[in-house]
Amino acid sequence: MLSHEQMHHVAQQGRTLHSVYVYQAPVRLWHWVTVLAMTVLMATGYFIGKPFLMLPGNDPDMYLMGYVRFAHFAAGYVLAVAFAGRIYWAFVGNEHARQIFLPPLFNGAWWSEVMFELRWYFFLEDRPKKYTGHNPLAAVMMFFLFVLGSLFMIATGFALYSEGAGHGHWSDLLFGWVLVALGDSQTVHSLHRLGLWVLLSFIFVHVYAALREDIMSRQSIISTMISGWRSFRD
């Protein structure tokens, strides 16, 4: 959150607009690569679980499911590599680069800020607070639903992938234990598909919250993930 000193600095810089550099280029690149990868993963994943299209002709000749599965696996690789790079940047980037990975979960004052933001989103507060990075509620949601959710989807996804890749494949060595830990392949498949709906629900809320804050809190949210700069209009 902006301090009183920072707010005074905002007033000194200009009455209508002040910008702070928040998200570095690697963070912004990761965000949009992840958006693309997850879009492909969700579309192809739903199709794999529940095919809704039949092409005319001989299916082995059309190879529709094979192309869909290939797109799903390729997007999974992109997501995993991008996520690994994002974890690296959390250590070498600025303070905002690690915010969603290390929220202060044991800080009582921080949880008070979370509750304030929850009241703000439910229209129980009249004025928003200003934050240069994620607000505390957004950080909570990003950590528990997106970060942990992505890790879960990567682990279960590559565990299922290892069944086709075969024993001794790197996916089997790294994630084969997930099949044993969660019971069997069908259970992992069901949980992986459930994770799709959890992440999809999070994305809808995430987009709504970004649009809402852009309008109601009078600070840039969406454009910040394009330019890296957060602008405050008050």
Side-chain angles (χ1 to χ4, degrees), residues 31-76:
H31 177 273
W32 296 113
V33 168
T34 298
V35 168
L36 179 61
M38 281 197 165
T39 300
V40 174
L41 282 165
M42 289 180 178
T44 56
Y46 181 83
F47 185 87
I48 292 170
K50 191 175 181 180
F52 55 84
L53 177 65
M54 295 293 291
L55 294 179
N58 190 358
D59 185 65
D61 295 333
M62 304 304 295
Y63 201 57
L64 174 62
M65 183 59 76
Y67 290 130
V68 172
R69 284 169 57 84
F70 174 79
H72 191 77
F73 297 153

Side-chain angles (χ1 to χ4, degrees), residues 139-162:
V140 167
M141 298 292 286
M142 289 292 291
F143 176 73
F144 284 106
L145 293 180
F146 182 78
V147 172
L148 297 185
S150 295
L151 287 172
F152 177 81
M153 294 299 282
I154 290 170
T156 54
F158 279 116
L160 294 170
Y161 180 75
S162 71

Side-chain angles (χ1 to χ4, degrees), residues 22-41 75 78-79 81-87 89 96-97 100-101 134 138 142 146-147 150 202-211 214 221-228 230:
V22 177
Y23 298 123
Q24 297 165 301
V27 173
R28 305 196 309 273
L29 177 62
W30 162 79
H31 177 273
W32 296 113
V33 168
T34 298
V35 168
L36 179 61
M38 281 197 165
T39 300
V40 174
L41 282 165
V78 171
L79 179 72
V81 172
F83 195 84
R86 181 65 178 84
I87 292 175
W89 196 257
H96 302 294
I100 64 172
F101 292 93
H134 290 290
M142 289 292 291
F146 182 78
V147 172
S150 295
F202 164 79
I203 289 170
F204 281 129
V205 173
H206 178 65
V207 172
Y208 161 74
L211 291 171
D214 225 318
I221 303 295
I222 297 173
S223 62
T224 301
M225 198 49 75
I226 298 174
S227 67
R230 172 147 296 156

Side-chain angles (χ1 to χ4, degrees), residues 168-203:
H169 190 262
W170 70 265
S171 58
D172 175 58
L173 297 176
L174 291 180
F175 299 104
W177 60 271
V178 174
L179 296 168
V180 178
L182 295 181
D184 54 44
S185 176
Q186 184 57 49
T187 300
V188 174
H189 181 275
S190 298
L191 291 174
H192 190 70
R193 191 165 178 82
L194 176 63
L196 181 156
W197 294 110
V198 172
L199 279 177
L200 186 60
S201 299
F202 164 79
I203 289 170

